[in-house]
Amino acid sequence: MARIKLDISRRSFLKGGLATGGLALMSPTASIDSAVGMLSADDPWYREGDIKTTYNVCDVCPWRCGVVVHTVNGIVRKIDGNPADPKSRGMLCARGQGGVSFMYDPDRLQSPMIRTGERGSGQFKEVTWEEALDYVAAALLQVKDKYGEEALAVFGHTSGDHWFADHFAQAWGTPNAAKPSSSLCLSPRDEAATLTYGSAVGGHEPVDWDSIQAFTLIGSHIGEDARNTLMQDFANAQARGAKVIVVDPRFSSVAAKADYWLPIKPGTDTALMLAWMNVLITESLYDAAYVEEWTEGLEELAAHVAEFTPDWAAGITDLPAAQIRETALVMAENMPAAAVIPGRHVTWYGNDSQRMRSTYLVNALLGTYGREGGMYFNKSVYLDHYPLPPYTVTGSSGGCSAEPGEESAELPLGPTGKARADGVRESFMRGPTAMQELIDPMISGDPYPIRALVAYGVNLLNSIPNPERTIEALKALDFVVAIDVLPQEHIAWADVVLPEATYLERYEDLWTVPHKTPYIAMREPAADPLYDTKPGWWISRELGMRVGLEDFYKWETIEEWIDKRLVSVGSSLDDMRAQGGVIVQKGKPYLEDFDGASPFHTASGKINLYSEELAEAGHDPMPVYEPTDEPPTGYFRLLYGRSPVHTFAKTQNTPVLNDIDPENEIWVNVDAAEQLGVKDGDYVMLENQDGARSGPVQVKATQRIRSDAVFMVHGFGHNSPGLTRANGKGASDTKLQTRYKLDPISGGAGMRVNFVRLDKEGV
Ligand code: MGD
Ligand code: MGD
Ligand code: SF4
């Protein structure tokens, strides 16, 4: 019987790393030791043999920079940014560099496993792929026979998720496929954009960084949010003299570089933006010609915002009225090369689609969309899909990144005519399935039972709020299969674990990125898969073949799939390699590229300042400020964000990244800390409004945060013994998020509605 905790200590792992030589003949573990040892020493690996260069797309975060990978004697040694790639432009962030360490993490899942102990015990036996896949197929077919196709939920994230949450789920016939990157991240942003100007923001936010003159960041904490391209763009724009306005309750890294820092009271951003609209309209500062030609509803908007003066907003936001007006003027002076940047993680307070709509309305008044220096139009890539029979279920599970393939806005219905089980579709018209809303039907069977779960590359107990409820669901399900690379917490709750090869060890479908210059990027393996791991496309196909979906898997190899798609652009895998791993196409970024036709895909072809669609569905047609609950006495609002060297909850165990940032801190205003008798560097426990408690976490007492909120980096506080470096370090924000507030328009889960108190007891 194997336990998921692997018997390789960090000590022996590093010690083994000093041994070199004979690499090609070594066992996988020995090669890992050697590779990491070499990375930490000054050994000239590049003189050891011929360097093999392969093209890949970084998978350490969903931004997906194009990379060039260098391999010597079968060992991956170095990753560089691909200079031909429009996202990386030859550079990488620290996490991207950490990819080698992620691959050679000795804590990785190594072999298919079937559960032997109780769910949650982490007791498994290692089995062959044949055994594991036969077992999964039989269990899924049993659930289908008993309850129907829709009784299977498929959750997916990371770059191979489309093989499961899109392709497998739609071929199988379940509408209950979901991605955390949608309802726990950006669904309000895209829903609001579609309602306002007719298309989603898209994976690559279309900000015309090359010539922008003034920009506002609402929360978006560039620098801690360490997306490579964004950091380059920000630095270049600032060096050019662009004005920077940062709205954040916390003096974030980017606030430190801003011309204006607006330390707003959390949850009041809509009031600020209504006041900006008031200033732009009442002082006639908006782009009148643009608004006349490209928008509808100015009269209604002017009447709506007339009472929302800077003085009114000052009382709500805690910001000086003069500063509110002054920042509106800065944007107006620079329009149309000015924009409020759409953030990315926008599921905050449960009214997030309306907040996002208010940012788009400010932009519309500034004449931003389709103008140089504002927001350009992302163009989709021209590339054929692989020819497949029609799916029985259509629709999207949503995505945070530029996913391969396109998403459908059709209402997804199961073959038995059953709608999605998340209830969100009934509350509005579009929007991908809300992952957090599929947990209840797993427990209650209402509106109908969900009995099985395929979890591909999704961190069930670290990404979905209220993990206790998720555990209840995992206990209640008939069958759970987890496809992952690491022994994350949810792995212990699976019946079958299928270990995937990492992105450096596998081919992937082509990456098609809507962009100013749309482009296609490729992924090919830089080394053979370690241990007994397999690529996701292979796992999806093997499962599909076993459950009667042969028609959807008529291809034998992924190379065949890729080559077939590339025919439509006159290329091939070999040709793409020869071209440097990227094919760049021509975009249509500005209004003048449309020859007078409207680029806005709304019914009227204009930007909806007033939304008929929302009014008809019973929602406010124009954004209204809604107060969010105040922290109870003695509690702080819990805010969270990113560390520049970690991604979500998946890299805390990665050796080189763990070395740099091993645990998170809780930021507390220094005066509030003093009142509580807590000092910088003390350890405290956190307890939320429902009694959920964190592990010990170190206090960062600082002037850099308001006194009504505390802040921590997401992703720490692991409690899986298999994650030998991350286990027990820091605190988990997810555990303290026992509540969320549903955005009625998009189904997004606002998670900043939890409050914590600091407790010195029990540390
Ligand atoms: P947010 O949650 O909007 O995330 O990154 P962002 O989109 O930047 O930003 C957190 C900031 O919002 C914090 O500075 C916080 O103080 C502030 N904030 C909290 N409440 C409020 C409020 O009420 N009003 C205002 N104005 N500000 C508030 C997320 C993004 O990061 C995403 S979605 C992904 S997919 C990537 N993930 C990622 C990662 O995991 N690691 C690193 N290093 N970078 C990443 N980049 C991306
Ligand atoms: P990760 O922690 O990155 O987050 O949600 P997730 O994508 O679930 O988990 C990725 C999972 O994929 C891990 O289990 C990892 O081990 C596994 N994995 C990594 N590489 C591979 C691979 O190549 N193949 C396979 N099969 N598995 C792999 C992110 C989501 O979380 C997002 S997008 C946002 S913006 C939200 N952020 C957020 C937050 O800031 N705070 C809280 N509390 N919750 C959040 N939830 C959301
Ligand atoms: Fe990789 Fe960093 Fe790019 Fe994310 S931003 S894809 S981690 S290099």
Side-chain angles (χ1 to χ4, degrees):
M1 190 183 296
R3 294 191 62 103
I4 58 171
K5 181 179 180 318
L6 306 175
D7 190 25
I8 304 174
S9 70
R10 173 165 167 70
R11 183 169 247 276
S12 62
F13 153 54
L14 285 178
K15 204 169 138 209
L18 298 175
T20 54
L23 295 178
L25 300 174
M26 285 180 169
S27 68
T29 310
S31 3
I32 291 165
D33 291 348
S34 181
V36 178
M38 298 281 269
L39 284 170
S40 58
D42 294 328
D43 298 329
W45 56 267
Y46 45 83
R47 287 201 206 121
E48 278 209 339
D50 290 341
I51 300 175
K52 182 179 135 196
T53 298
T54 46
Y55 296 103
N56 209 307
V57 177
C58 178
D59 201 15
V60 184
C61 94
W63 192 241
R64 316 273 187 248
C65 300
V67 297
V68 183
V69 187
H70 309 287
T71 307
V72 178
N73 293 335
I75 308 279
V76 179
R77 295 298 190 187
K78 190 165 189 295
I79 306 178
D80 288 324
N82 184 347
D85 183 271
K87 270 197 208 265
S88 66
R89 308 166 194 155
M91 288 180 240
L92 289 184
C93 79
R95 297 168 298 150
Q97 298 281 356
V100 181
S101 183
F102 185 81
M103 169 181 166
Y104 289 113
D105 183 346
D107 287 345
R108 269 179 63 181
L109 296 169
Q110 301 190 354
S111 156
M113 299 189 292
I114 294 181
R115 178 170 64 82
T116 53
E118 288 289 298
R119 276 210 190 127
S121 67
Q123 290 171 334
F124 293 93
K125 64 176 178 185
E126 290 184 355
V127 294
T128 63
W129 277 96
E130 284 294 307
E131 279 176 274
L133 291 163
D134 287 348
Y135 190 93
V136 175
L140 295 186
L141 289 172
Q142 203 175 344
V143 166
K144 176 176 151 186
D145 287 349
K146 224 163 148 187
Y147 304 100
E149 288 88 345
E150 52 282 308
L152 172 67
V154 185
F155 290 175
H157 204 206
T158 82
S159 60
D161 61 3
H162 60 106
W163 296 115
F164 296 89
D166 297 317
H167 185 61
F168 184 85
Q170 292 180 57
W172 170 269
T174 178
N176 296 314
K179 302 182 185 182
S181 46
S182 177
S183 62
L184 299 168
C185 181
L186 49 68
S187 63
R189 183 184 87 162
D190 286 340
E191 194 68 54
T194 310
L195 284 160
T196 309
Y197 56 85
S199 47
V201 173
H204 191 98
E205 291 92 6
V207 179
D208 208 6
W209 286 106
D210 294 341
S211 42
I212 199 160
Q213 289 305 333
F215 58 93
T216 299
L217 299 168
I218 306 282
S220 308
H221 55 329
I222 299 177
E224 289 151 298
D225 156 2
R227 279 174 285 158
N228 174 16
T229 329
L230 220 53
M231 294 193 295
Q232 297 179 37
D233 288 334
F234 175 88
N236 292 337
Q238 206 183 28
R240 233 191 25 247
K243 292 275 180 236
V244 184
I245 301 164
V246 170
V247 184
D248 197 311
R250 196 176 59 96
F251 192 63
S252 58
S253 301
V254 75
K257 300 195 176 305
D259 297 281
Y260 297 88
W261 172 44
L262 278 56
I264 196 165
K265 180 176 172 181
T268 65
D269 298 85
T270 307
L272 171 67
M273 285 182 279
L274 287 168
W276 279 342
M277 288 183 233
N278 172 291
V279 174
L280 294 175
I281 295 176
T282 58
E283 300 190 27
S284 295
L285 298 172
Y286 64 95
D287 187 334
Y290 181 95
V291 168
E292 167 70 23
E293 186 171 3
W294 293 114
T295 73
E296 267 197 345
L298 177 67
E299 215 174 297
E300 289 90 338
L301 185 66
H304 179 64
V305 300
E307 62 184 304
F308 303 135
T309 60
D311 281 330
W312 166 83
I316 293 171
T317 57
D318 249 6
L319 301 171
Q323 195 184 39
I324 295 176
R325 182 168 177 276
E326 189 180 339
T327 43
L329 299 193
V330 169
M331 287 188 278
E333 277 158 18
N334 289 286
M335 70 184 188
V340 182
I341 310 289
R344 194 169 185 89
H345 173 66
V346 297
T347 46
W348 292 359
Y349 299 99
N351 53 4
D352 303 300
S353 291
Q354 291 288 17
R355 186 186 69 252
M356 291 314 298
R357 236 176 84 69
S358 66
T359 68
Y360 305 147
L361 299 195
V362 173
N363 285 342
L365 293 174
L366 295 170
T368 297
Y369 296 103
R371 307 286 286 285
E372 198 174 338
M375 305 276 295
Y376 59 79
F377 299 113
N378 260 338
K379 187 170 176 296
S380 291
V381 165
Y382 171 70
L383 180 72
D384 272 359
H385 289 284
Y386 187 88
L388 292 168
Y391 292 124
T392 47
V393 171
T394 58
S396 85
S397 43
C400 188
S401 40
E403 310 288 351
E406 282 172 12
E407 296 174 351
S408 155
E410 283 171 49
L411 179 71
L413 289 176
T416 57
K418 283 187 182 170
R420 305 175 337 176
D422 66 354
V424 172
R425 171 112 3 204
E426 284 155 35
S427 73
F428 198 61
M429 301 168 68
R430 278 182 295 261
T433 316
M435 173 175 275
Q436 76 286 346
E437 295 298 285
L438 291 180
I439 301 293
D440 283 336
M442 295 179 186
I443 300 168
S444 66
D446 183 31
Y448 57 80
I450 292 187
R451 302 303 316 152
L453 172 66
V454 174
Y456 172 90
V458 60
N459 214 330
L460 294 179
L461 297 176
N462 289 296
S463 307
I464 309 175
N466 201 353
E468 287 304 317
R469 186 181 67 135
T470 309
I471 288 179
E472 214 184 310
L474 290 170
K475 281 183 186 160
L477 287 167
D478 290 356
F479 186 69
V480 181
V481 51
I483 306 161
D484 211 290
V485 296
L486 283 169
Q488 298 277 7
E489 285 70 13
H490 67 283
I491 298 298
W493 294 90
D495 297 302
V496 178
V497 179
L498 303 178
E500 193 178 13
T502 65
Y503 71 102
L504 294 170
E505 304 160 296
R506 65 178 203 246
Y507 276 107
E508 191 51 83
D509 193 4
L510 293 163
W511 209 254
T512 58
V513 186
H515 195 267
K516 193 171 181 182
T517 51
Y519 69 93
I520 307 169
M522 61 175 277
R523 171 178 295 163
E524 60 183 338
D528 292 336
L530 288 171
Y531 316 113
D532 193 9
T533 61
K534 299 278 187 193
W537 65 265
W538 182 90
I539 302 171
S540 174
R541 186 172 184 278
E542 289 295 316
L543 268 183
M545 302 295 274
R546 282 169 167 80
V547 296
L549 301 176
E550 296 83 354
D551 286 351
F552 294 91
Y553 291 94
K554 284 222 178 296
W555 35 281
E556 292 286 331
T557 65
I558 185 75
E559 292 98 311
E560 179 192 327
W561 169 291
I562 295 172
D563 269 332
K564 186 134 205 159
R565 293 193 72 191
L566 283 172
V567 169
S568 57
V569 288
S571 185
S572 66
L573 201 46
D574 286 341
D575 179 55
M576 238 187 122
R577 241 181 238 124
Q579 287 190 46
V582 179
I583 298 173
V584 180
Q585 299 177 349
K586 199 167 174 303
K588 266 173 97 169
Y590 302 125
L591 283 168
E592 50 267 30
D593 295 315
F594 289 79
D595 298 328
S598 171
F600 302 110
H601 303 299
T602 52
S604 58
K606 300 205 172 181
I607 302 172
N608 294 317
L609 303 181
Y610 178 99
S611 168
E612 294 282 357
E613 221 175 328
L614 279 172
E616 278 165 21
H619 297 282
D620 288 316
M622 289 171 293
V624 173
Y625 165 67
E626 275 175 36
T628 180
D629 288 346
E630 295 290 329
T633 309
Y635 286 78
F636 301 88
R637 186 180 297 282
L638 177 62
L639 309 180
Y640 52 85
R642 308 283 177 240
S643 151
V645 295
H646 285 296
T647 298
F648 305 124
K650 78 171 171 186
T651 56
Q652 288 70 22
N653 204 62
T654 300
V656 297
L657 301 180
N658 178 277
D659 282 349
I660 301 171
D661 187 7
E663 64 183 272
N664 58 355
E665 298 167 311
I666 185 85
W667 290 42
V668 186
N669 175 274
V670 73
D671 301 326
E674 197 179 321
Q675 277 180 19
L676 292 171
V678 172
K679 293 191 305 303
D680 189 53
D682 283 356
Y683 276 85
V684 295
M685 311 290 272
L686 301 173
E687 185 174 283
N688 85 348
Q689 71 286 333
D690 298 320
R693 283 175 76 80
S694 73
V697 58
Q698 201 168 24
V699 170
K700 177 183 171 100
T702 171
Q703 295 288 6
R704 290 175 58 189
I705 187 163
R706 288 171 53 97
S707 57
D708 51 2
V710 290
F711 171 85
M712 67 200 284
V713 166
H714 167 62
F716 287 89
H718 283 279
N719 63 2
S720 166
L723 300 173
T724 55
R725 269 161 249 99
N727 187 27
K729 303 265 181 64
S732 157
D733 59 335
T734 312
K735 279 196 190 121
L736 297 164
Q737 291 164 349
T738 46
R739 297 185 189 178
Y740 61 83
K741 192 160 176 221
L742 204 65
D743 174 27
I745 295 174
S746 68
M751 295 185 279
R752 292 188 183 151
V753 295
N754 291 276
F755 308 105
V756 295
R757 66 180 190 87
L758 276 56
D759 186 356
K760 288 187 278 178
E761 299 301 315
V763 177

